[in-house]
Amino acid sequence: MRILLLGANGQLGRTFLEHAGLATRGELIAASRDGVLWHGGHGEVADLADPASLPALLDRVQPQLIINAAAYTAVDRAEQEEALATRVNGEAVGVLGTWAAAHAALVLHYSTDYVFDGSQSQPYAVDAPTGPLGAYGRSKLAGEQALRGSGADHLTFRTAWVYAAHGHNFLRTMLRLGAEREELRVVADQHGAPTDTALIVNASLAALDRWQLASATQRRELVGTHHLVASGATSWHGFASAIFEQATEQGLLARAPRVVAIGSAEFPTPAVRPAWSLLDNRDFQQLFDFQLPDWQHGLHDVMHRLATAAH
């Protein structure tokens, strides 16, 4: 199998590249916006901000599996750059789907909890009505719809509160600020399940294995949208508190700052965040026979990895 990985320098793409399991499944071609990879190597150039450039790359590489780990993820900036966000997260995804449908390729794509408005108080089912609150969510929903409408075989995995030991994310920001400040004020009225990229990659590879073993009839049941998030729930305040507890235990911080709970209204941002970002992941676990553990398991693993690297 020839595999094209888009967005190889991002949080998720980098985790895919670091995971030994992907390369064992076929010939792996990594692509980034400028063709330079995070570890200094070179890959293909794939700029999703220029959707018209993608068919030439796809024609040359001829992938049987397209893993789209690329995305416009600047949630607040998207309020001023919605056209760009929509090109990357919407139009480009449609181009990938159109090519895949014509060449019998599978598209593995990632979406977000931001396609929902966050107004309900129980985990969102896959088929719950969508209603994005901002430009980022609208752009990601456009990508889901374009891929679905392309007729391509696809697995769209909605995830949420994504973090890793590398890249720009909430965990790394908290560790940096926690080392600098005595007190941090963190929003406590937004709820979700922090999901580390290693879990997303492991679950994605399990889903890919299930797909490859499935009959044509079974594949029709698998194709479509699924929720790939850790289990359990917390708030940003709860996540920050857990980060600092483990950081002091692992020796990453000499002392934990005070974490003061605040409401979203006390921390205004250009983009409105959904208050309730919990996604029902039972469908994923049943269909792909893969357990999605509580979010604290992933946090422990990431913190242990950071501590090992530091020492």
Side-chain angles (χ1 to χ4, degrees):
M1 176 184 286
R2 189 174 294 110
I3 304 166
L4 176 62
L5 172 65
L6 302 172
N9 287 342
Q11 275 193 112
L12 182 56
R14 178 170 167 177
T15 304
F16 264 116
L17 278 185
E18 291 176 340
H19 195 292
L22 186 59
T24 63
R25 286 163 172 79
E27 177 190 357
L28 176 60
I29 299 101
S32 69
R33 190 164 49 209
D34 60 3
V36 178
L37 303 180
W38 61 269
H39 51 59
H42 290 273
E44 295 284 347
V45 174
D47 185 2
L48 273 68
D50 182 12
S53 69
L54 297 175
L57 166 66
L58 296 165
D59 287 342
R60 185 171 70 255
V61 174
Q62 289 290 313
Q64 292 148 300
L65 170 64
I66 301 167
I67 301 178
N68 183 29
Y72 180 109
T73 57
V75 174
D76 288 321
R77 199 163 70 235
E79 294 301 310
Q80 284 75 47
E81 297 182 347
E82 185 162 4
L84 174 59
T86 302
R87 280 203 306 277
V88 174
N89 294 341
E91 294 167 30
V93 179
V95 170
L96 298 176
T98 298
W99 189 93
H103 295 81
L106 172 67
V107 181
L108 205 58
H109 176 64
Y110 297 90
S111 191
T112 175
D113 55 304
Y114 280 64
V115 300
F116 298 113
D117 66 11
S119 62
Q120 69 178 43
S121 56
Q122 67 269 2
Y124 279 91
V126 169
D127 59 357
T130 53
L133 296 175
Y136 169 70
R138 288 191 293 270
S139 73
K140 293 297 286 184
L141 182 58
E144 288 188 14
Q145 294 168 337
L147 185 54
R148 193 178 305 124
S150 73
D153 282 340
H154 67 282
L155 300 173
T156 295
F157 296 146
R158 290 182 184 139
T159 189
W161 292 29
V162 177
Y163 69 98
H166 53 259
H168 301 288
N169 56 64
F170 181 83
L171 178 140
R172 286 172 56 87
T173 299
M174 287 298 103
L175 289 176
R176 176 175 56 79
L177 294 177
E180 298 169 356
R181 302 181 186 177
E182 295 288 328
E183 179 180 290
L184 294 175
R185 294 157 57 80
V186 183
V187 170
D189 58 0
Q190 296 174 20
H191 303 274
T195 303
D196 64 293
T197 55
L199 176 61
I200 297 172
V201 168
N202 287 328
S204 297
L205 294 178
L208 178 60
D209 290 343
R210 177 80 177 83
W211 174 272
Q212 290 182 298
L213 292 171
S215 66
T217 301
Q218 291 170 327
R219 285 182 175 184
R220 282 197 291 273
E221 297 174 2
L222 299 177
V223 74
T225 304
H226 309 280
H227 287 168
L228 199 179
V229 289
S231 297
T234 189
S235 65
W236 289 117
H237 176 269
F239 188 24
S241 300
I243 289 168
F244 293 130
E245 180 181 350
Q246 294 206 20
T248 52
E249 287 178 3
Q250 300 268 8
L252 287 166
L253 289 177
R255 48 112 192 105
R258 289 186 303 277
V259 185
V260 178
I262 63 170
S264 298
E266 297 177 72
F267 189 73
T269 55
V272 179
R273 268 73 172 167
W276 190 265
S277 282
L278 289 169
L279 305 179
D280 188 338
N281 63 16
R282 290 175 296 177
D283 151 85
F284 186 100
Q285 297 184 82
Q286 292 164 2
L287 278 174
F288 298 109
D289 192 25
F290 186 89
Q291 290 298 116
L292 296 168
D294 187 89
W295 64 271
Q296 297 194 52
H297 287 263
L299 175 60
H300 180 270
D301 290 346
V302 169
M303 297 300 285
H304 179 70
R305 200 174 312 129
L306 286 169
T308 301
H311 300 134

Short mmCIF file of all heavy atoms in Angstrom, two decimals, residues 193-244:
data_model
loop_
_atom_site.label_atom_id
_atom_site.label_comp_id
_atom_site.label_asym_id
_atom_site.label_seq_id
_atom_site.Cartn_x
_atom_site.Cartn_y
_atom_site.Cartn_z
N ALA A 193 -12.81 16.04 26.62
CA ALA A 193 -11.94 14.92 26.94
C ALA A 193 -10.60 15.14 26.25
O ALA A 193 -10.49 14.93 25.03
CB ALA A 193 -12.56 13.59 26.49
N PRO A 194 -9.57 15.59 26.97
CA PRO A 194 -8.25 15.77 26.36
C PRO A 194 -7.78 14.48 25.68
O PRO A 194 -7.85 13.41 26.28
CB PRO A 194 -7.36 16.13 27.55
CG PRO A 194 -8.29 16.70 28.58
CD PRO A 194 -9.57 15.93 28.41
N THR A 195 -7.34 14.60 24.44
CA THR A 195 -7.00 13.42 23.64
C THR A 195 -5.61 13.57 23.07
O THR A 195 -5.34 14.49 22.30
CB THR A 195 -8.04 13.23 22.50
OG1 THR A 195 -9.35 13.13 23.08
CG2 THR A 195 -7.75 11.98 21.71
N ASP A 196 -4.71 12.67 23.46
CA ASP A 196 -3.33 12.78 23.00
C ASP A 196 -3.18 12.15 21.62
O ASP A 196 -3.91 11.23 21.25
CB ASP A 196 -2.37 12.11 24.00
CG ASP A 196 -2.58 10.62 24.13
OD1 ASP A 196 -3.66 10.22 24.62
OD2 ASP A 196 -1.70 9.85 23.72
N THR A 197 -2.21 12.65 20.88
CA THR A 197 -2.05 12.22 19.49
C THR A 197 -1.64 10.76 19.37
O THR A 197 -1.97 10.11 18.37
CB THR A 197 -1.02 13.09 18.74
OG1 THR A 197 0.22 13.08 19.47
CG2 THR A 197 -1.51 14.52 18.59
N ALA A 198 -0.97 10.21 20.38
CA ALA A 198 -0.60 8.79 20.32
C ALA A 198 -1.85 7.92 20.31
O ALA A 198 -1.92 6.92 19.58
CB ALA A 198 0.30 8.42 21.49
N LEU A 199 -2.86 8.30 21.09
CA LEU A 199 -4.11 7.55 21.09
C LEU A 199 -4.78 7.65 19.72
O LEU A 199 -5.29 6.66 19.18
CB LEU A 199 -5.05 8.08 22.18
CG LEU A 199 -6.44 7.43 22.21
CD1 LEU A 199 -6.35 5.94 22.47
CD2 LEU A 199 -7.32 8.11 23.28
N ILE A 200 -4.78 8.86 19.14
CA ILE A 200 -5.41 9.04 17.83
C ILE A 200 -4.71 8.17 16.78
O ILE A 200 -5.38 7.52 15.96
CB ILE A 200 -5.37 10.53 17.42
CG1 ILE A 200 -6.19 11.37 18.40
CG2 ILE A 200 -5.90 10.70 16.00
CD1 ILE A 200 -6.06 12.87 18.18
N VAL A 201 -3.38 8.14 16.79
CA VAL A 201 -2.63 7.35 15.81
C VAL A 201 -2.88 5.86 16.02
O VAL A 201 -3.16 5.13 15.07
CB VAL A 201 -1.13 7.67 15.88
CG1 VAL A 201 -0.32 6.66 15.08
CG2 VAL A 201 -0.88 9.09 15.35
N ASN A 202 -2.79 5.39 17.26
CA ASN A 202 -3.02 3.97 17.53
C ASN A 202 -4.43 3.54 17.12
O ASN A 202 -4.62 2.48 16.52
CB ASN A 202 -2.79 3.66 19.01
CG ASN A 202 -1.32 3.68 19.40
OD1 ASN A 202 -0.46 3.33 18.59
ND2 ASN A 202 -1.02 4.08 20.61
N ALA A 203 -5.40 4.39 17.44
CA ALA A 203 -6.79 4.08 17.09
C ALA A 203 -6.98 4.12 15.57
O ALA A 203 -7.70 3.28 15.00
CB ALA A 203 -7.73 5.05 17.77
N SER A 204 -6.34 5.06 14.91
CA SER A 204 -6.45 5.18 13.45
C SER A 204 -5.86 3.94 12.77
O SER A 204 -6.44 3.42 11.79
CB SER A 204 -5.72 6.43 12.96
OG SER A 204 -6.32 7.60 13.47
N LEU A 205 -4.74 3.47 13.26
CA LEU A 205 -4.11 2.29 12.66
C LEU A 205 -4.96 1.04 12.91
O LEU A 205 -5.06 0.16 12.05
CB LEU A 205 -2.70 2.10 13.21
CG LEU A 205 -1.70 3.20 12.82
CD1 LEU A 205 -0.35 2.94 13.45
CD2 LEU A 205 -1.56 3.32 11.30
N ALA A 206 -5.59 0.97 14.09
CA ALA A 206 -6.50 -0.15 14.36
C ALA A 206 -7.70 -0.10 13.41
O ALA A 206 -8.15 -1.14 12.90
CB ALA A 206 -6.96 -0.10 15.81
N ALA A 207 -8.21 1.10 13.17
CA ALA A 207 -9.33 1.26 12.24
C ALA A 207 -8.91 0.89 10.82
O ALA A 207 -9.68 0.25 10.08
CB ALA A 207 -9.85 2.70 12.28
N LEU A 208 -7.70 1.27 10.44
CA LEU A 208 -7.19 0.92 9.11
C LEU A 208 -7.07 -0.59 8.96
O LEU A 208 -7.44 -1.15 7.92
CB LEU A 208 -5.84 1.60 8.89
CG LEU A 208 -5.13 1.30 7.56
CD1 LEU A 208 -5.99 1.73 6.38
CD2 LEU A 208 -3.77 2.00 7.51
N ASP A 209 -6.57 -1.26 9.98
CA ASP A 209 -6.46 -2.72 9.94
C ASP A 209 -7.85 -3.35 9.79
O ASP A 209 -8.03 -4.32 9.04
CB ASP A 209 -5.79 -3.24 11.21
CG ASP A 209 -4.31 -2.88 11.27
OD1 ASP A 209 -3.74 -2.53 10.22
OD2 ASP A 209 -3.74 -2.94 12.38
N ARG A 210 -8.81 -2.83 10.53
CA ARG A 210 -10.19 -3.35 10.45
C ARG A 210 -10.73 -3.15 9.04
O ARG A 210 -11.40 -4.03 8.49
CB ARG A 210 -11.04 -2.60 11.47
CG ARG A 210 -12.51 -2.96 11.47
CD ARG A 210 -12.78 -4.25 12.22
NE ARG A 210 -14.20 -4.53 12.26
CZ ARG A 210 -14.89 -5.12 11.28
NH1 ARG A 210 -14.26 -5.48 10.17
NH2 ARG A 210 -16.18 -5.34 11.40
N TRP A 211 -10.46 -2.00 8.44
CA TRP A 211 -10.91 -1.71 7.08
C TRP A 211 -10.32 -2.70 6.09
O TRP A 211 -11.02 -3.22 5.22
CB TRP A 211 -10.53 -0.28 6.72
CG TRP A 211 -10.82 0.10 5.29
CD1 TRP A 211 -10.01 -0.06 4.20
CD2 TRP A 211 -12.03 0.66 4.79
NE1 TRP A 211 -10.63 0.38 3.07
CE2 TRP A 211 -11.87 0.82 3.39
CE3 TRP A 211 -13.23 1.05 5.39
CZ2 TRP A 211 -12.87 1.37 2.60
CZ3 TRP A 211 -14.23 1.60 4.59
CH2 TRP A 211 -14.05 1.75 3.21
N GLN A 212 -9.04 -2.95 6.22
CA GLN A 212 -8.36 -3.81 5.25
C GLN A 212 -8.85 -5.26 5.33
O GLN A 212 -8.86 -5.96 4.32
CB GLN A 212 -6.84 -3.74 5.46
CG GLN A 212 -6.26 -2.40 5.05
CD GLN A 212 -4.75 -2.36 5.20
OE1 GLN A 212 -4.21 -2.49 6.29
NE2 GLN A 212 -4.05 -2.16 4.10
N LEU A 213 -9.27 -5.68 6.50
CA LEU A 213 -9.76 -7.05 6.67
C LEU A 213 -11.24 -7.19 6.34
O LEU A 213 -11.74 -8.31 6.21
CB LEU A 213 -9.53 -7.50 8.12
CG LEU A 213 -8.07 -7.69 8.55
CD1 LEU A 213 -7.99 -7.93 10.05
CD2 LEU A 213 -7.44 -8.85 7.78
N ALA A 214 -11.92 -6.06 6.19
CA ALA A 214 -13.38 -6.07 6.00
C ALA A 214 -13.77 -6.43 4.57
O ALA A 214 -13.05 -6.14 3.61
CB ALA A 214 -13.96 -4.71 6.37
N SER A 215 -14.93 -7.06 4.45
CA SER A 215 -15.50 -7.33 3.14
C SER A 215 -16.10 -6.04 2.59
O SER A 215 -16.21 -5.03 3.29
CB SER A 215 -16.61 -8.38 3.26
OG SER A 215 -17.69 -7.87 4.02
N ALA A 216 -16.50 -6.07 1.32
CA ALA A 216 -17.11 -4.88 0.72
C ALA A 216 -18.36 -4.46 1.48
O ALA A 216 -18.61 -3.27 1.69
CB ALA A 216 -17.45 -5.16 -0.74
N THR A 217 -19.15 -5.44 1.93
CA THR A 217 -20.36 -5.13 2.70
C THR A 217 -20.02 -4.50 4.03
O THR A 217 -20.64 -3.52 4.46
CB THR A 217 -21.18 -6.41 2.93
OG1 THR A 217 -21.53 -6.98 1.66
CG2 THR A 217 -22.46 -6.11 3.70
N GLN A 218 -19.02 -5.05 4.71
CA GLN A 218 -18.60 -4.51 6.01
C GLN A 218 -18.04 -3.10 5.87
O GLN A 218 -18.24 -2.25 6.73
CB GLN A 218 -17.56 -5.44 6.64
CG GLN A 218 -18.13 -6.78 7.08
CD GLN A 218 -17.04 -7.76 7.48
OE1 GLN A 218 -15.94 -7.76 6.91
NE2 GLN A 218 -17.34 -8.61 8.45
N ARG A 219 -17.33 -2.85 4.76
CA ARG A 219 -16.76 -1.52 4.56
C ARG A 219 -17.84 -0.46 4.43
O ARG A 219 -17.65 0.69 4.85
CB ARG A 219 -15.85 -1.51 3.33
CG ARG A 219 -14.52 -2.21 3.56
CD ARG A 219 -13.62 -2.15 2.35
NE ARG A 219 -12.32 -2.73 2.66
CZ ARG A 219 -11.30 -2.76 1.82
NH1 ARG A 219 -11.43 -2.25 0.59
NH2 ARG A 219 -10.14 -3.30 2.19
N ARG A 220 -18.97 -0.83 3.88
CA ARG A 220 -20.06 0.14 3.77
C ARG A 220 -20.56 0.57 5.14
O ARG A 220 -21.07 1.68 5.30
CB ARG A 220 -21.21 -0.46 2.93
CG ARG A 220 -20.93 -0.44 1.43
CD ARG A 220 -22.20 -0.63 0.62
NE ARG A 220 -22.73 -1.97 0.75
CZ ARG A 220 -22.36 -3.01 -0.01
NH1 ARG A 220 -21.44 -2.84 -0.94
NH2 ARG A 220 -22.89 -4.19 0.16
N GLU A 221 -20.43 -0.33 6.14
CA GLU A 221 -20.82 0.01 7.50
C GLU A 221 -19.78 0.88 8.19
O GLU A 221 -20.10 1.66 9.09
CB GLU A 221 -21.03 -1.28 8.32
CG GLU A 221 -22.15 -2.17 7.80
CD GLU A 221 -22.23 -3.49 8.54
OE1 GLU A 221 -21.42 -3.69 9.48
OE2 GLU A 221 -23.07 -4.32 8.19
N LEU A 222 -18.52 0.74 7.77
CA LEU A 222 -17.44 1.48 8.41
C LEU A 222 -17.26 2.87 7.84
O LEU A 222 -16.85 3.80 8.55
CB LEU A 222 -16.12 0.71 8.26
CG LEU A 222 -16.04 -0.68 8.90
CD1 LEU A 222 -14.70 -1.32 8.59
CD2 LEU A 222 -16.26 -0.60 10.41
N VAL A 223 -17.53 3.03 6.55
CA VAL A 223 -17.27 4.31 5.89
C VAL A 223 -18.11 5.42 6.54
O VAL A 223 -19.24 5.19 6.96
CB VAL A 223 -17.56 4.21 4.37
CG1 VAL A 223 -19.06 4.17 4.08
CG2 VAL A 223 -16.91 5.34 3.60
N GLY A 224 -17.52 6.60 6.65
CA GLY A 224 -18.27 7.72 7.21
C GLY A 224 -17.56 8.35 8.39
O GLY A 224 -16.34 8.29 8.52
N THR A 225 -18.34 8.95 9.28
CA THR A 225 -17.83 9.77 10.38
C THR A 225 -17.92 9.03 11.70
O THR A 225 -18.93 8.37 11.99
CB THR A 225 -18.62 11.09 10.47
OG1 THR A 225 -18.56 11.75 9.20
CG2 THR A 225 -18.06 12.00 11.54
N HIS A 226 -16.86 9.14 12.51
CA HIS A 226 -16.80 8.49 13.82
C HIS A 226 -16.14 9.44 14.82
O HIS A 226 -15.43 10.37 14.42
CB HIS A 226 -15.99 7.19 13.73
CG HIS A 226 -16.45 6.27 12.63
ND1 HIS A 226 -17.54 5.45 12.76
CD2 HIS A 226 -15.98 6.08 11.37
CE1 HIS A 226 -17.72 4.78 11.63
NE2 HIS A 226 -16.79 5.15 10.77
N HIS A 227 -16.37 9.19 16.10
CA HIS A 227 -15.81 10.03 17.15
C HIS A 227 -14.63 9.33 17.81
O HIS A 227 -14.79 8.32 18.48
CB HIS A 227 -16.88 10.37 18.19
CG HIS A 227 -17.89 11.35 17.69
ND1 HIS A 227 -19.07 11.64 18.36
CD2 HIS A 227 -17.89 12.15 16.58
CE1 HIS A 227 -19.74 12.55 17.68
NE2 HIS A 227 -19.05 12.87 16.60
N LEU A 228 -13.45 9.90 17.59
CA LEU A 228 -12.21 9.33 18.12
C LEU A 228 -11.66 10.29 19.18
O LEU A 228 -10.90 11.20 18.88
CB LEU A 228 -11.19 9.13 16.99
CG LEU A 228 -10.03 8.17 17.23
CD1 LEU A 228 -9.14 8.08 15.99
CD2 LEU A 228 -9.19 8.51 18.42
N VAL A 229 -12.09 10.08 20.41
CA VAL A 229 -11.63 10.88 21.54
C VAL A 229 -11.39 9.96 22.72
O VAL A 229 -11.94 8.85 22.79
CB VAL A 229 -12.67 11.96 21.96
CG1 VAL A 229 -12.75 13.07 20.94
CG2 VAL A 229 -14.04 11.33 22.18
N ALA A 230 -10.59 10.41 23.66
CA ALA A 230 -10.42 9.68 24.91
C ALA A 230 -11.75 9.63 25.65
O ALA A 230 -12.65 10.43 25.40
CB ALA A 230 -9.35 10.35 25.76
N SER A 231 -11.86 8.70 26.58
CA SER A 231 -13.07 8.60 27.40
C SER A 231 -12.93 9.50 28.63
O SER A 231 -11.88 10.07 28.89
CB SER A 231 -13.29 7.15 27.82
OG SER A 231 -13.52 6.33 26.68
N GLY A 232 -14.03 9.62 29.37
CA GLY A 232 -14.03 10.48 30.54
C GLY A 232 -14.29 11.93 30.18
O GLY A 232 -14.57 12.26 29.02
N ALA A 233 -14.20 12.79 31.17
CA ALA A 233 -14.50 14.22 30.96
C ALA A 233 -13.80 15.05 32.00
O ALA A 233 -13.56 14.61 33.12
CB ALA A 233 -16.01 14.45 31.03
N THR A 234 -13.48 16.28 31.63
CA THR A 234 -12.93 17.26 32.56
C THR A 234 -13.19 18.64 31.99
O THR A 234 -13.81 18.79 30.93
CB THR A 234 -11.43 17.02 32.81
OG1 THR A 234 -10.99 17.87 33.88
CG2 THR A 234 -10.58 17.31 31.58
N SER A 235 -12.73 19.66 32.68
CA SER A 235 -12.76 21.04 32.18
C SER A 235 -11.33 21.45 31.89
O SER A 235 -10.37 20.75 32.24
CB SER A 235 -13.37 21.97 33.23
OG SER A 235 -12.52 22.01 34.38
N TRP A 236 -11.16 22.61 31.26
CA TRP A 236 -9.80 23.11 31.06
C TRP A 236 -9.12 23.32 32.41
O TRP A 236 -7.91 23.04 32.56
CB TRP A 236 -9.82 24.42 30.27
CG TRP A 236 -10.19 24.26 28.83
CD1 TRP A 236 -11.29 24.78 28.20
CD2 TRP A 236 -9.45 23.55 27.81
NE1 TRP A 236 -11.29 24.41 26.87
CE2 TRP A 236 -10.17 23.66 26.61
CE3 TRP A 236 -8.27 22.80 27.83
CZ2 TRP A 236 -9.74 23.07 25.42
CZ3 TRP A 236 -7.84 22.21 26.64
CH2 TRP A 236 -8.57 22.36 25.46
N HIS A 237 -9.87 23.77 33.40
CA HIS A 237 -9.32 23.93 34.75
C HIS A 237 -8.88 22.58 35.32
O HIS A 237 -7.79 22.46 35.91
CB HIS A 237 -10.36 24.59 35.67
CG HIS A 237 -9.92 24.71 37.09
ND1 HIS A 237 -10.17 23.73 38.03
CD2 HIS A 237 -9.23 25.69 37.75
CE1 HIS A 237 -9.66 24.09 39.19
NE2 HIS A 237 -9.09 25.29 39.05
N GLY A 238 -9.72 21.57 35.14
CA GLY A 238 -9.37 20.24 35.63
C GLY A 238 -8.17 19.65 34.92
O GLY A 238 -7.31 19.00 35.54
N PHE A 239 -8.09 19.91 33.62
CA PHE A 239 -6.95 19.43 32.83
C PHE A 239 -5.67 20.11 33.31
O PHE A 239 -4.64 19.46 33.54
CB PHE A 239 -7.21 19.72 31.35
CG PHE A 239 -6.22 19.12 30.39
CD1 PHE A 239 -5.47 18.00 30.72
CD2 PHE A 239 -6.05 19.67 29.12
CE1 PHE A 239 -4.56 17.45 29.81
CE2 PHE A 239 -5.15 19.13 28.21
CZ PHE A 239 -4.40 18.01 28.56
N ALA A 240 -5.72 21.43 33.50
CA ALA A 240 -4.54 22.16 33.96
C ALA A 240 -4.10 21.66 35.33
O ALA A 240 -2.89 21.46 35.58
CB ALA A 240 -4.85 23.66 34.02
N SER A 241 -5.05 21.45 36.23
CA SER A 241 -4.71 20.97 37.58
C SER A 241 -4.03 19.60 37.51
O SER A 241 -3.05 19.35 38.23
CB SER A 241 -5.98 20.90 38.43
OG SER A 241 -6.58 22.17 38.55
N ALA A 242 -4.54 18.72 36.64
CA ALA A 242 -3.94 17.39 36.50
C ALA A 242 -2.54 17.48 35.90
O ALA A 242 -1.63 16.73 36.27
CB ALA A 242 -4.84 16.51 35.63
N ILE A 243 -2.36 18.40 34.95
CA ILE A 243 -1.03 18.61 34.34
C ILE A 243 -0.02 19.00 35.41
O ILE A 243 1.08 18.43 35.50
CB ILE A 243 -1.10 19.69 33.24
CG1 ILE A 243 -1.85 19.17 32.02
CG2 ILE A 243 0.31 20.15 32.84
CD1 ILE A 243 -2.22 20.25 31.02
N PHE A 244 -0.38 19.96 36.27
CA PHE A 244 0.56 20.45 37.28
C PHE A 244 0.83 19.40 38.37
O PHE A 244 1.94 19.30 38.88
CB PHE A 244 0.06 21.75 37.88
CG PHE A 244 0.06 22.89 36.90
CD1 PHE A 244 -1.05 23.69 36.72
CD2 PHE A 244 1.18 23.15 36.12
CE1 PHE A 244 -1.06 24.73 35.81
CE2 PHE A 244 1.19 24.19 35.19
CZ PHE A 244 0.07 24.97 35.04
#
